[in-house]
């Protein structure tokens, strides 16, 4: 069986590691259920003052809980999707490299057979 080239293998390994790392980070970053206002953990009944470019408003614990859940969902999609994409790229590159290496091995074998006949 033909082996892919070393440079290709390094790229496949790097893409695979990045993919796994994205998935792990996505899992760790989106786990938990704490609700925060800036850097402080909120408790039920508290309010949070959010200041943005367009508005300044107080938000209740329940509103912040919804906002936190929405942002965690977006992070999950980005990290898991990115990780899956890198893993697909790694798998596709590995398969393409194996196919190319097999083709090169067949060409070398055919050339050797041709030179031995003549």
């Amino acid at each position: 069986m033909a082996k892919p080239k070393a440079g290709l293998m390094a790229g496949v390994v790097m893409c695979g590691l990045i993919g796994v790392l994205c998935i792990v980070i996505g899992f760790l970053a989106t786990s938990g259920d704490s609700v925060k206002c800036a850097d402080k953990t909120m408790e039920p009944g508290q309010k949070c003052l959010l200041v943005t470019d367009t508005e300044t408003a107080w938000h209740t614990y329940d509103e912040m809980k919804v906002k936190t859940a929405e942002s965690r969902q977006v992070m999950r999609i980005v990290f898991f999707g990115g990780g899956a994409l890198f893993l697909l790229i790694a798998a596709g590159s590995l398969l393409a490299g194996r196919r190319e290496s097999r083709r090169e091995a067949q060409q070398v074998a055919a050339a050797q057979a041709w030179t031995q006949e003549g």
Side-chain angles (χ1 to χ4, degrees):
M1 182 168 10
K3 288 183 175 179
K5 295 181 177 147
L8 177 68
M9 286 305 295
V12 166
V13 168
M14 288 302 293
C15 278
L17 287 175
I18 291 170
V20 169
L21 187 63
C22 282
I23 291 172
V24 169
I25 288 172
F27 178 72
L28 293 175
T30 60
S31 62
D33 57 352
S34 64
V35 177
K36 294 196 176 214
C37 178
D39 292 335
K40 298 180 182 174
T41 304
M42 290 181 70
E43 299 293 328
Q46 290 182 328
K47 289 188 176 186
C48 177
L49 178 63
L50 286 182
V51 179
T52 64
D53 292 340
T54 57
E55 76 172 310
T56 300
W58 287 96
H59 296 279
T60 65
Y61 173 84
D62 293 328
E63 292 171 337
M64 291 303 292
K65 188 173 184 176
V66 170
K67 286 181 184 288
T68 301
E70 290 171 352
S71 67
R72 283 185 179 144
Q73 184 64 27
V74 169
M75 284 178 60
R76 243 182 241 120
I77 291 169
V78 169
F79 278 105
F80 291 163
L85 180 64
F86 272 103
L87 290 175
L88 285 174
I89 290 170
S93 297
L94 182 62
L95 292 175
R98 287 186 62 186
R99 183 176 300 132
E100 182 65 28
S101 295
R102 189 176 307 128
R103 187 177 305 129
E104 286 177 6
Q106 289 171 347
Q107 289 173 350
V108 168
Q112 287 174 345
W114 182 77
T115 56
Q116 290 174 356
E117 290 175 7

